[in-house]
Amino acid sequence: MITQYWMLISRNLSDRLLRTGLTVLGVIIGVMIIILLFSLGSAMQNGVEEQFGKLGVKAIRIVPGGLFGPPSGSMGLTNDVKDYIERVNGVDYVQAVLNDNSMMGYNNKFYSVSIISYDTSLGPKGLVDTDSKIKEGRYFSTADKDSVLIGYEVSNTLFKKKINVKEGIILGNRNFRVVGIFEKTGTALDNRVYVPLDTAREMFGKKDISNVFVVQIHKGQDIEKVAEEIRKELMRKYKDKDAFQVFTPEQLLKQIKSILGTIELVLVVIAGISIVVGSIGIMNSMF
């Protein structure tokens, strides 16, 4: 009996080669799409954790309330926030950061770049929130004003001609000299340009705000406890918990994972729809 069924099935399938081929192709493509979607979700999770580790994010960050994405542009906190943070026990130093975008010119070509500025009086430790090292040249000195540090990709691939240390570039309508080039990290840091904080304030006309405050704590301190004390101190200033946000590295990673979880859920829904549509197609062919 079973042999007869197989012969009947084989004869019917061979009589309808085109439909059979399309059905098999639909099954193969459907399975591949589902595997691809699930793999993409897992790859995003793993990739973010890896990139997060490369960035070296290990300090407390204070940003404006209601912020979604990297702090930049006009969104910021007043500079006196730094004074409140420095009152908290366990805080080593506070780095005020101003971010924005500008047109960068070199070799008669212009491209938009991300500008990061920090207080040069802190020296190399001012780059507390990165894990980058200088490959060529040096870090900023306190005397630097119209000087820049550039990422690996800015130096090597942004323009057709490589930018070397001591060469001149243009940011906006202002001339700068390259004093250092970072080593390659494989992260967004490779595409950034760093300038002294006071210079950036002049360039962008933002003397009274900072987009983010990065807080380094003393060794041995509990980062979660220090972060909570910073929240309490800033509440004395703002009287509104929604006016600012305080992130520890763990909280920042958790928020990023939450966003990725939502994306992964969408991918699962798409995969589910693909299964249903594929099943209907297969049933239509077989029945």
Side-chain angles (χ1 to χ4, degrees), residues 132-146:
S132 299
K133 294 179 176 60
I134 290 292
K135 180 182 179 183
E136 301 176 40
R138 60 173 175 81
Y139 290 98
F140 285 131
S141 69
T142 54
D144 282 319
K145 186 175 182 181
D146 292 335

Side-chain angles (χ1 to χ4, degrees), residues 114-132:
S114 176
I115 305 293
I116 311 292
S117 63
Y118 70 93
D119 186 358
T120 57
S121 66
L122 293 172
K125 72 178 184 179
L127 293 165
V128 62
D129 214 26
T130 74
D131 200 22
S132 299

Side-chain angles (χ1 to χ4, degrees), residues 33 87 97 103 136 287:
I33 290 175
R87 297 174 189 172
V97 179
M103 295 301 294
E136 301 176 40
F287 285 116

Side-chain angles (χ1 to χ4, degrees), residues 104 115 138 140 144-150 167 169 171 175-181 193-196:
M104 175 178 170
I115 305 293
R138 60 173 175 81
F140 285 131
D144 282 319
K145 186 175 182 181
D146 292 335
S147 302
V148 295
L149 302 174
I150 60 177
E167 288 191 307
I169 65 166
L171 290 178
N175 294 318
F176 288 82
R177 184 171 64 93
V178 177
V179 297
I181 300 171
V193 175
Y194 288 79
V195 303

Side-chain angles (χ1 to χ4, degrees), residues 31-137:
V31 171
M32 288 179 62
I33 290 175
I34 292 170
I35 294 174
L36 179 63
L37 289 174
F38 280 105
S39 299
L40 182 61
S42 300
M44 283 193 302
Q45 290 277 5
N46 296 333
V48 166
E49 290 184 15
E50 181 181 355
Q51 294 297 313
F52 195 84
K54 286 183 178 179
L55 283 172
V57 181
K58 51 186 175 292
I60 300 171
R61 299 164 66 89
I62 295 90
V63 299
L67 181 71
F68 296 95
S72 63
S74 60
M75 290 195 70
L77 298 168
T78 54
N79 294 331
D80 60 347
V81 167
K82 182 177 178 181
D83 299 328
Y84 284 82
I85 300 171
E86 288 175 338
R87 297 174 189 172
V88 175
N89 290 330
V91 171
D92 185 5
Y93 58 91
V94 182
Q95 174 63 280
V97 179
L98 188 65
N99 303 347
D100 216 315
N101 294 311
S102 177
M103 295 301 294
M104 175 178 170
Y106 176 73
N107 198 29
N108 297 318
K109 298 290 184 181
F110 286 83
Y111 295 99
S112 178
V113 293
S114 176
I115 305 293
I116 311 292
S117 63
Y118 70 93
D119 186 358
T120 57
S121 66
L122 293 172
K125 72 178 184 179
L127 293 165
V128 62
D129 214 26
T130 74
D131 200 22
S132 299
K133 294 179 176 60
I134 290 292
K135 180 182 179 183
E136 301 176 40

